[in-house]
Amino acid sequence: MSFTIIIPARYASSRLPGKPLVELAGKTMLQRVWERASASSAAHVVIATDDERIFAAATEFGAEVMMTRADHPSGTDRIAEVVTHLGLEDDAIVVNVQGDEPSIPAEVIEQVAANLAAYPEASIATLSEAMDDPAALQDPNAVKVVADRRGMALYFSRACIPWPRDHVWSSAGMPPGSWFRHIGLYAYRVAFLHRYTEWSEAPLERCESLEQLRALYEGERIHVAEACVPVPGGVDTADDLAALRRQLEQGQEPLA
């Protein structure tokens, strides 16, 4: 199996400006993401950015970098521009590794690419993890996913799905594995990326602010599997950044 990794990295961030270039124990966040991605068996790892500062920093630590348009509405559109430039075949597999995931295990990158290869009817593959914390079930930042018996996604939501009729916001009495949190790591087929750029924003996507709902709305199949190893969270806030710095300075592996 051969696959390409693309790491979209933007300088702008409403909560943490300049996030890809913040320092984490002597390396930028972006370099740590790139090193994790490069530890996989990917045939090609490319950073995609619209910012000269990120381009310069990535070039300095030895990464392949591609400048893209600045007006892309989403990271998926940015990836589509890169695959077009690279001339990848329609059936090629591309993994999107976010530029704020400096602790992502190479194992899950391999897993999501292999899962897409194993399910030819799917256009996308992604991952999940079991959850049963009532607070997380109510947290709109924790995206939930439900899938059929073959692992094909039925829906993603910021709400609690499924809704337990008799045990609201509690796992009491519910069978194990009733709820799953979506992990935002994606593998795509290149042909899907070309289709995606032609579609308008879907009503479900607009309501939930979840890009993957555009694919479901258009009838695409998304395969979901439980992650083979724990996946530490990304860096979204200053608190996340401070916690990760403390761990790295103490020589600790980030916790999931």
Side-chain angles (χ1 to χ4, degrees):
M1 180 191 64
S2 177
F3 64 97
T4 296
I5 294 174
I6 299 177
I7 305 171
R10 297 181 65 247
Y11 193 87
S13 170
S14 58
R15 290 184 287 185
L16 204 59
K19 184 164 54 172
L21 300 186
V22 299
E23 187 175 302
L24 292 168
K27 298 178 181 178
T28 64
M29 184 183 308
L30 183 60
Q31 181 174 351
R32 289 187 175 275
V33 175
W34 176 76
E35 289 176 350
R36 292 285 183 136
S38 299
S40 74
S41 63
H44 207 176
V45 179
V46 182
I47 294 172
T49 188
D50 60 3
D51 189 275
E52 293 287 354
R53 291 162 290 189
I54 292 175
F55 184 94
T59 301
E60 185 174 344
F61 62 70
E64 180 178 350
V65 199
M66 187 174 298
M67 286 294 291
T68 62
R69 289 169 23 205
D71 60 348
H72 285 304
S74 71
T76 309
D77 292 281
R78 192 176 309 281
I79 289 171
E81 179 185 349
V82 175
V83 301
T84 298
H85 181 82
L86 293 175
L88 297 180
E89 298 291 336
D90 281 353
D91 60 351
I93 293 174
V94 173
V95 178
N96 174 0
V97 175
Q98 295 297 321
D100 59 2
E101 300 276 356
S103 306
I104 189 165
E107 294 94 326
V108 296
I109 298 174
E110 301 273 358
Q111 180 188 10
V112 76
N115 287 352
L116 186 57
Y119 289 88
E121 70 271 38
S123 301
I124 308 171
T126 189
L127 301 175
S128 66
E129 61 183 2
M131 61 187 302
D132 60 10
D133 177 17
L137 290 171
Q138 297 178 72
D139 182 357
N141 294 311
V143 177
K144 296 83 178 173
V145 59
V146 292
D148 67 19
R149 65 181 177 83
R150 296 190 68 247
M152 296 300 171
L154 298 172
Y155 194 64
F156 298 82
S157 183
R158 297 184 182 278
C160 177
I161 54 171
W163 181 284
R165 188 189 67 176
D166 300 322
H167 302 279
V168 177
W169 305 123
S170 170
S171 60
M174 295 290 285
S178 294
W179 292 291
F180 290 89
R181 181 202 307 267
H182 177 228
I183 296 171
L185 176 67
Y186 295 97
Y188 306 107
R189 297 189 196 280
V190 166
F192 162 79
L193 290 168
H194 293 318
R195 293 194 297 273
Y196 182 91
T197 60
E198 301 298 320
W199 299 329
S200 300
E201 183 183 41
L204 296 174
E205 173 190 7
R206 189 178 309 118
C207 177
E208 298 250 23
S209 292
L210 296 174
E211 271 185 63
Q212 63 269 39
L213 292 178
R214 187 185 311 186
L216 288 184
Y217 186 79
E218 296 290 344
E220 303 284 345
R221 308 299 300 279
I222 302 176
H223 182 268
V224 186
E226 283 192 75
C228 60
V229 295
V231 181
V235 177
D236 294 320
T237 67
D239 288 343
D240 294 339
L241 179 61
L244 181 56
R245 277 179 172 153
R246 285 194 299 270
Q247 288 179 299
L248 291 171
E249 287 165 1
Q250 294 167 8
Q252 300 176 4
E253 284 296 316
L255 301 175

